[in-house]
Amino acid sequence: MSFKKIFAAVDDSELGQRVFSQALELAVGDRAQMMLFHCVTVNTLGEVAVPIPVDLGMNVELMDRAYQAQRLRQESEIEKTSGLLKNYCDAATKQGLQVEFDCKMDGDAGHSVCEAAENWGADLIVVGRRGRTGFTEAFLGSVSNYVVHHASCSVFVIQDAQPEK
């Protein structure tokens, strides 16, 4: 089976590098196009942003500062991620591949991966699985599980060498 458009969901972790390497190997073998993708989520930023109504007595100036600080963290994370994706992109380009990259800010990475892959016309998604189980998976969710069950194309899941518990 050969693929023409390979969509790789990557990040800056060791698992993300393995996902990229495997997607690159497949793309080189098939002379496929590649899309490198990362979704910046609330979990990535390390906090939940919940708007607090002003009528609850909150100081508008303090709220404005908090929102500005969160926006700066988001912009910084997107800039960092864009640099990472550009590095991956450069490595794939050196292999003679046609490659693009995209970064989205969204609360649901699984949905974003499926939507972006479908919009791009991918025929394969390569995604990592951290191996979360039990309460951790129920609480944090599983991007790979969502993608496997909702993608409009084939999915190749790369298992993390050190599964989370």
Side-chain angles (χ1 to χ4, degrees), residues 87-146:
N87 288 340
Y88 282 146
C89 189
D90 291 345
T93 301
K94 287 179 183 175
Q95 297 290 322
L97 297 175
Q98 182 180 343
V99 61
E100 320 171 38
F101 66 90
D102 192 13
C103 177
K104 297 281 188 219
M105 174 74 69
D106 194 350
D108 186 351
H111 176 76
S112 292
V113 167
C114 289
E115 182 177 60
E118 185 172 6
N119 290 342
W120 185 65
D123 54 8
L124 177 67
I125 298 172
V126 183
V127 65
R129 179 177 183 274
R130 300 208 188 289
R132 292 180 178 140
T133 58
F135 182 72
T136 305
E137 182 178 20
F139 183 70
L140 295 175
S142 170
V143 173
S144 59
N145 188 39
Y146 184 93

Side-chain angles (χ1 to χ4, degrees), residues 1-147:
M1 174 179 258
S2 76
F3 299 100
K4 298 299 171 203
K5 295 185 88 174
I6 298 175
F7 185 97
V10 297
D11 61 19
D12 65 349
S13 69
E14 183 178 321
L15 177 59
Q17 292 169 7
R18 290 181 50 227
V19 167
F20 171 72
S21 294
Q22 187 64 60
L24 180 63
E25 183 178 321
L26 290 168
V28 167
D30 290 345
R31 302 309 305 160
Q33 296 176 44
M34 280 184 76
M35 168 64 80
L36 305 172
F37 181 82
H38 180 75
C39 183
V40 178
T41 64
V42 171
N43 290 339
T44 306
L45 296 172
E47 62 185 58
V48 176
V50 178
I52 301 170
V54 175
D55 61 337
L56 290 179
M58 286 296 296
N59 180 313
V60 176
E61 185 178 327
L62 289 176
M63 284 179 52
D64 185 51
R65 281 191 221 157
Y67 282 118
Q68 292 300 327
Q70 180 179 357
R71 183 178 172 101
L72 287 173
R73 281 191 299 278
Q74 290 172 344
E75 289 172 3
S76 172
E77 187 65 29
I78 288 174
E79 187 176 310
K80 175 182 155 191
T81 300
S82 293
L84 171 76
L85 292 172
K86 180 152 180 19
N87 288 340
Y88 282 146
C89 189
D90 291 345
T93 301
K94 287 179 183 175
Q95 297 290 322
L97 297 175
Q98 182 180 343
V99 61
E100 320 171 38
F101 66 90
D102 192 13
C103 177
K104 297 281 188 219
M105 174 74 69
D106 194 350
D108 186 351
H111 176 76
S112 292
V113 167
C114 289
E115 182 177 60
E118 185 172 6
N119 290 342
W120 185 65
D123 54 8
L124 177 67
I125 298 172
V126 183
V127 65
R129 179 177 183 274
R130 300 208 188 289
R132 292 180 178 140
T133 58
F135 182 72
T136 305
E137 182 178 20
F139 183 70
L140 295 175
S142 170
V143 173
S144 59
N145 188 39
Y146 184 93
V147 172

